[in-house]
Amino acid sequence: MRRAAVAVWVSALGVWVWGPPDALTSLAAAGILMTAANSYAVWDIGFELSFAAVVGTVAGNACIRRMRDAHDRRFWVKAGENLQKPVRRPWYSKLPKGVQGLVESACIAACASAATFPVLVLRGLSVSAWAVVSSIAVLWMVQPLLLLGLAVAFVGLVPWLAPVHGVLSRAADLLTGLLNGWAVWLSTKPGAAIYFDTVYAALVCLLLCGLGVLAFRWRVRLRVALPGILLAAAVGIGLGNALSRDVVHIDLVGSAQAPAVVIAQNDRAVVLFRGGSAAQRAVENQLARRGVRTVELVVDLRMNAKTACTLPAQQGIRAERLPVNASRKLRCTPAAVELLRTREGCLVRLSIGNRQFVTLSGKAELAQPLQTEWLIATPKKPETVQYQKLLALRSYSWMPPETQYTASLSLRRTGGERLE
């Protein structure tokens, strides 16, 4: 609300000094004013999404103005010194009024969704396949909510208008509840949360937005620009899928005190589980983000589990139920798993190609130190493991101050890795 008020105030100020209104200039001035006191405000996700959505809305309005004013220049004919406008009308003017309003709403919603997409994926959030449809469905609520909010604020300043204030407040609550109910209902539908590879997806989206801007400025016809942009999107998505094929993703999720490990490749995964119900929800979200359909193995590393892990999997192992000094070896699609049960804990070694990862739960006493390339760290110091690199959710007290670590790793079995 503050950002919108500042933008409106800047627009009004431009009119007062006889300057032409310009939405982008007003938005830029509003951003400068709001970040003058704290320049780090630009890293706030609400700030970024608000500005991206406004920029997309401005772009949608520009496209609508172009559609309204468009004329097919191919039908202009020269008659002596005069140019006569074509008899044929542009396609937009042939549509019924109701359909024109629907097209305008869809255009604004699509532009706003495209503008916010890079922010969402770079922040690791999901996008919805229903974004444009949902925006069209609830767009009519924006003006009533804004007007009711302003009315409630101003009427609340007058004590003797308390009955009116109550009625307006209940009306605003009703619309807000309707909007929230719509969002909750839509979140249960398939495709409500789709995750993309962060940097690559953002770059592809920015490329498509750039192509759209060029098509707008160069006045490329819609029947030429739209297939071109769709073709570029198909090539970008296909290339991204080809590049990410067979990549193994290792992610630490949940609490830093008891991190769970998710190892995913294509649509299959292995889970090393720690924590409670909150950790299980974090694992489920991560599986959805990686597009996992089948969990081949869940290893519950907890020694004194108070709640059961209910993740659906083809095979489940509870370390606390294994006999002391027992070992298990399993070969799954993402990794080969070796589990050793000790007297006071367990040790797990993952083999992915020529790389090895080790993690501990509790204490694991070995005859000699275990050599590994990667250690998946926990709050307890690994006395029996010698490692080269670390995967961790945060820095623990036993780590040297200069220790470098990451919470997510992507790698190929044949070589090549990327820290995230």
Side-chain angles (χ1 to χ4, degrees), residues 254-341:
S255 169
Q257 295 299 320
V261 186
V262 179
I263 307 99
Q265 183 183 30
N266 299 330
D267 61 347
R268 309 182 77 83
V270 169
V271 177
L272 307 181
F273 185 77
R274 299 186 184 92
S277 57
Q280 180 167 329
R281 288 193 296 271
V283 170
E284 292 171 348
N285 292 336
Q286 188 63 31
L287 293 174
R289 179 177 181 177
R290 294 299 185 189
V292 173
R293 299 179 181 177
T294 303
V295 178
E296 296 185 4
L297 173 66
V298 173
V299 181
D300 193 338
L301 301 178
R302 298 173 295 176
M303 291 295 102
N304 297 293
K306 297 181 180 179
T307 58
C309 175
T310 58
L311 286 171
Q314 293 179 342
Q315 185 175 1
I317 298 176
R318 294 184 63 176
E320 64 178 352
R321 293 186 175 181
L322 294 177
V324 176
N325 296 328
S327 63
R328 297 286 299 274
K329 294 184 178 181
L330 305 104
R331 182 167 294 277
C332 303
T333 301
V337 182
E338 299 177 63
L339 174 64
L340 174 63
R341 173 73 158 90

Side-chain angles (χ1 to χ4, degrees), residues 166-376:
V167 173
L168 294 176
S169 299
R170 283 190 289 271
D173 289 340
L174 179 63
L175 278 181
T176 304
L178 183 62
L179 186 62
N180 292 337
W182 169 264
V184 172
W185 176 78
L186 202 63
S187 66
T188 62
K189 302 303 175 184
I194 303 175
Y195 292 91
F196 293 85
D197 181 70
T198 54
V199 177
Y200 182 81
L203 290 176
V204 171
C205 183
L206 292 175
L207 173 63
L208 297 178
C209 290
L211 292 177
V213 171
L214 292 178
F216 180 84
R217 289 191 173 276
W218 294 344
R219 295 182 176 272
V220 179
R221 299 184 186 282
L222 185 62
R223 60 174 175 267
V224 176
L226 186 59
I229 294 176
L230 292 177
L231 178 61
V235 171
I237 295 173
L239 182 61
N241 290 335
L243 293 175
S244 61
R245 185 69 182 174
D246 296 331
V247 173
V248 180
H249 304 280
I250 304 175
D251 303 290
L252 272 64
V253 298
S255 169
Q257 295 299 320
V261 186
V262 179
I263 307 99
Q265 183 183 30
N266 299 330
D267 61 347
R268 309 182 77 83
V270 169
V271 177
L272 307 181
F273 185 77
R274 299 186 184 92
S277 57
Q280 180 167 329
R281 288 193 296 271
V283 170
E284 292 171 348
N285 292 336
Q286 188 63 31
L287 293 174
R289 179 177 181 177
R290 294 299 185 189
V292 173
R293 299 179 181 177
T294 303
V295 178
E296 296 185 4
L297 173 66
V298 173
V299 181
D300 193 338
L301 301 178
R302 298 173 295 176
M303 291 295 102
N304 297 293
K306 297 181 180 179
T307 58
C309 175
T310 58
L311 286 171
Q314 293 179 342
Q315 185 175 1
I317 298 176
R318 294 184 63 176
E320 64 178 352
R321 293 186 175 181
L322 294 177
V324 176
N325 296 328
S327 63
R328 297 286 299 274
K329 294 184 178 181
L330 305 104
R331 182 167 294 277
C332 303
T333 301
V337 182
E338 299 177 63
L339 174 64
L340 174 63
R341 173 73 158 90
T342 64
R343 186 174 300 276
E344 299 182 21
C346 66
L347 180 147
V348 179
R349 178 165 59 184
L350 305 171
S351 298
I352 303 174
N354 59 353
R355 301 177 179 87
Q356 289 191 345
F357 300 78
V358 170
T359 188
L360 300 172
S361 180
K363 293 182 180 180
E365 297 181 358
L366 303 177
Q368 58 184 5
L370 179 63
Q371 303 285 338
T372 186
E373 181 180 0
W374 288 88
L375 172 68
I376 302 176

